[in-house]
Amino acid sequence: MTLLTRDDLIRALRELVVELKTGGEPVGLRVVGGAAIALRHFDRHTTADLDALHVRPGTDDAVTEAANRVADRRGWDHGWLNFNVTNTGSEPLYGRPTAWETVYDDGIIVIQVAGADTLLAMKLRANRPGRDTDDIRKLLAICEINSVEGADVFYSECYPGESLPDRAWTMVSSILQTQPLTKPELVDPVDLS
Amino acid sequence: MTDAGALLRAARSSRRLTQEQLADRAGVDQARVSRSESGRESPRFDTVDRLLAGAGYRLYAAPTRRDDVATTAGRIRQSLEQGDRHAALRHLIQLSDDLLAEKGLVRGVLTVSPPGTTGEKVWDAALAAVTAWRLNEDQIPLPAWVSEPSRTLAPPRVLQIDEADPVPTPADVPVEFGQHGVLAWADTFSSV
């Protein structure tokens, strides 16, 4: 399907909120990955989908059904919002507390996006060349990590007992050698009301 | 949504026709061919049908909403013209995901129309590599355009997305990418 822009994501999340309200049950939705970056942090142009963690409170099935209704109206494929990331073990659960920023809260439906440090940890874990490199560069700048040793310490804090993967080490070293880190311009706050 | 302009351009290019030659065959003026291919205007259905017929193609509907290779090639071309190689890669990854999401004949259908050139040989080869990789996984026959000599590079090259990207070893590259001379990490095409 066609890649999603930030505007696509915002419009779809607004429709999702309406759908979830109709259900009447409390829902806590947490967004990670490229969609979280595009919604809260910096301009990323497009993303393939919206990666979400397991819903707490509420159920993944209820959110999936609501997301499918949004997809049908917009002519998108089902799966634009998915929980695939929860199967990868990439969420930093056991280290430093993860930061979440609330972008919508009406007392029943709460939508949060991952903070920059959580996203950096997950991107360093994935370290897919071409796909994650520029995100890592910008998130390093936001998190003010200026050395590969600093990145390694940060990674171990997020994933206790683990070191920065070899390829991520190479990528961070190259990023820091090729050009000074520059903080990207923050995107405007999201209004999902 | 399928880009009619990309389909028309790809169909004409696959027959090695100029816009003027296609205009003659379809009985329209060359300016209409140009406008229809450029995306500056949305061509009428009968115009699309007529131009495709002039190139020896016919439009069919497939039970999928996913983009095909020809449409993706048009998007990659546009991204490269804008100097946005990251966006070009996202379109290539999306094609890989779209092919994986479909099974059997429908996956194959998404690769039937020959893609036009992206303007860079390494990306043309990468489109062939992704197509071969995903069709082979489902044991689907490859369309002829995948084997065109212009879609294999020697010596192999990288896609040059980001200057900080490490270069993969042959063991890190999907077999089909290696066969097409494109050095790309297999897990760049994996969801986390």
Side-chain angles (χ1 to χ4, degrees), chain A:
Chain A
M1 86 179 219
T2 305
L3 294 168
L4 307 177
T5 65
R6 184 172 189 262
D7 286 344
D8 289 332
L9 290 171
I10 291 172
R11 290 192 194 105
L13 283 173
R14 283 180 188 147
E15 292 178 23
L16 184 72
V17 166
V18 173
E19 289 284 345
L20 293 173
K21 275 183 180 172
T22 307
E25 297 293 324
V27 170
L29 183 67
R30 287 183 159 181
V31 182
V32 296
I37 291 174
L39 286 169
R40 183 63 190 92
H41 298 286
F42 52 82
D43 184 13
R44 201 170 174 274
H45 302 302
T46 56
T47 188
D49 55 11
L50 187 149
D51 293 314
L53 302 183
H54 286 309
V55 174
R56 287 188 297 263
T59 65
D60 295 356
D61 286 347
V63 172
T64 299
E65 286 168 16
N68 288 349
R69 290 194 290 274
V70 172
D72 290 340
R73 274 202 303 276
R74 303 183 73 81
W76 295 355
D77 299 311
H78 292 182
W80 70 273
L81 185 159
N82 62 74
F83 301 97
N84 297 343
V85 70
T86 57
N87 300 323
T88 64
S90 61
E91 184 187 357
L93 289 173
Y94 306 110
R96 57 193 276 172
T98 50
W100 295 91
E101 299 186 25
T102 302
V103 295
Y104 183 83
D105 183 355
D106 64 8
I108 300 174
I109 313 297
V110 178
I111 299 179
Q112 296 178 305
V113 298
D117 54 352
T118 303
L119 292 168
L120 176 60
M122 295 175 80
K123 286 287 179 184
L124 287 172
R125 195 172 186 81
N127 66 82
R128 296 161 298 183
R131 188 163 181 165
D132 296 318
T133 317
D134 196 47
D135 289 337
I136 290 173
R137 176 185 287 114
K138 289 170 177 163
L139 290 165
L140 284 170
I142 292 172
C143 296
E144 299 184 338
I145 295 173
N146 300 308
S147 70
V148 68
E149 292 80 9
D152 187 37
V153 170
F154 167 81
Y155 190 85
S156 296
E157 288 172 357
C158 296
Y159 302 103
E162 296 187 42
S163 299
L164 192 64
D166 288 346
R167 193 174 63 186
W169 185 287
T170 303
M171 289 166 70
V172 172
S173 298
S174 298
I175 287 169
L176 295 172
Q177 282 167 11
T178 47
Q179 52 185 287
L181 294 180
T182 308
K183 284 189 184 180
E185 194 175 332
L186 285 181
V187 291
D188 294 333
V190 178
D191 178 5
L192 298 181
S193 55

